[in-house]
Amino acid sequence: MDAAWPCAYTDWAMSETPVRNLIIIGSGPAGLTAAIYAARANLKPLCIEGFSAGGLIPGGQLMFTTDVENYPGFPEKVTGQELMQRFRDQAEHQGTEFVTADVTKVDLSQRPFKVWTDEAMFLAKAVIVATGARANYLGLPSEEGLKNKGVSACAVCDGALFRNQDVAVVGGGDTAMEEASYLAGLCKSVTLIHRRDEFRASKAMVQRVVENPKIKILYSHVVEEVLGAAEDHVTGIVVKSLKTGEKNTVPLAAMFVAIGHTPMTDLFVGQLETHPNGYLKTTPGSSRTSVEGVFAAGDVQDWTYRQAVTAAGTGCMAALDAERWLGAQGAH
Ligand code: NDP
């Protein structure tokens, strides 16, 4: 912390609020990996880890998954919660300071940057945004109670739990095609349900799906209900044809919802540049955003890979980029 760092806000420069080297917003794999690297570089980072699932999710999306079997280094499966606790312990052990609160506002227009929670305002020379993304769900009441009990938004994470069973994928974009193809390699059958009679996904990916004998496509259908509340796991779904209104029950063990993700960028609207799909823009090959001194890592800037390990990788990039940038400013 360095209260003497050039401060545009004279009143604050003279106030008690210290100017920190680095604030990390978010505590999923990206934010916590950034924290580990930044702390080891002696930046004494502050990680604002989020308080409620309504705002930032402490620990990120992994807190809502069950077993993680694809994070390297854990040959015996590990739960999402345990994995994130280990990340957090390591970040804390290396010297990261944590604040458990939702960030309510940021001002990235001048340096030092300002970050508010309900209780306090923090100043920082550099900021890493690692706020993640939220999977979109259908919004059915029956779906909510069966999340992680057969309702999933990630085939790569949960598909193996349903080996040799019947499953469904909902959606018509590239993710739905990818998930359907992936699941067809593991499961007995995949019913792909799309609300229109034409897919949004790229031709090549549609082709793979259409040609796969294990995938059955229900065009112009919507899911009306997820069954299995009494059994406490998914046992089937009720689908409705939008053309005829006919309803049918499809028995299956899991429903994978692939109807897009929403990046958590509300705090940064009008301050950081985004792609047309809402994800934060970073300079290719780096974590630099459109504002100098602000870096982005993890799912808030990645709609393609979206894995814990890739989020962790970009968290490392952001910490290294921030450290180098601070060094070049003579600020650290
Ligand atoms: P998209 O937004 O591309 O597709 C979402 C799909 O879900 C659409 O087909 C949409 O239907 C459907 N949908 C949305 N809301 C509902 C709802 N409430 N009920 C039923 N269906 C719904 O999201 P994706 O995650 O598929 O892709 C996001 C981005 O990532 C895209 O740019 C995609 O190209 C890219 N991507 C690329 C990959 C690759 O190249 N390997 C892999 C995965 C993603 P409708 O079509 O009617 O709007």
Side-chain angles (χ1 to χ4, degrees), residues 83-297:
L83 185 60
M84 283 301 91
Q85 187 61 47
R86 284 172 172 247
F87 271 61
R88 194 186 184 285
D89 290 348
Q90 194 171 350
E92 196 162 37
H93 177 72
Q94 297 292 344
T96 304
E97 189 186 338
F98 283 91
V99 165
T100 307
D102 286 332
V103 172
T104 52
K105 194 167 78 162
V106 297
D107 181 355
L108 306 176
S109 64
Q110 295 183 67
R111 300 204 294 261
F113 303 118
K114 287 174 267 170
V115 179
W116 284 267
T117 65
D118 269 342
E119 307 261 295
M121 187 274 292
F122 302 94
L123 298 173
K125 299 171 191 174
V127 169
I128 293 177
V129 177
T131 45
R134 224 193 312 246
N136 299 337
Y137 284 89
L138 298 170
L140 302 168
S142 55
E143 170 192 55
E144 187 58 37
L146 290 167
K147 280 184 187 165
N148 287 328
K149 296 169 180 173
V151 171
S152 167
C154 178
V156 177
C157 319
D158 299 330
L161 304 171
F162 303 99
R163 246 179 248 274
N164 301 321
Q165 300 184 60
D166 299 309
V167 302
V169 172
V170 185
D174 282 333
T175 302
M177 301 305 124
E178 205 167 61
E179 304 231 318
S181 298
Y182 176 81
L183 290 165
L186 290 174
C187 303
K188 193 162 135 202
S189 77
V190 179
T191 304
L192 176 60
I193 300 152
H194 182 39
R195 62 185 176 183
R196 291 188 295 134
D197 54 13
E198 196 186 343
F199 288 125
R200 168 183 301 276
S202 57
K203 281 203 172 63
M205 293 180 82
V206 171
Q207 184 94 358
R208 275 178 69 198
V209 163
V210 171
E211 287 173 357
N212 192 320
K214 284 173 88 179
I215 303 174
K216 177 186 173 191
I217 302 170
L218 293 181
Y219 293 101
S220 301
H221 275 72
V222 290
V223 177
E224 286 240 307
E225 196 184 344
V226 187
L227 305 172
E231 294 83 355
D232 207 28
H233 62 87
V234 171
T235 57
I237 53 176
V238 177
V239 293
K240 182 175 126 184
S241 162
L242 294 176
K243 294 246 161 104
T244 64
E246 191 190 333
K247 291 187 190 181
N248 278 302
T249 297
V250 183
L252 40 81
M255 176 180 81
F256 290 86
V257 184
I259 61 169
H261 284 72
T262 304
M264 310 272 275
T265 52
D266 287 358
L267 288 168
F268 313 103
V269 170
Q271 304 197 56
L272 295 177
E273 279 181 22
T274 58
H275 291 279
N277 63 7
Y279 285 75
L280 291 188
K281 256 189 191 169
T282 50
T283 307
S286 86
S287 64
R288 291 196 301 275
T289 68
S290 56
V291 171
E292 211 186 306
V294 179
F295 305 86

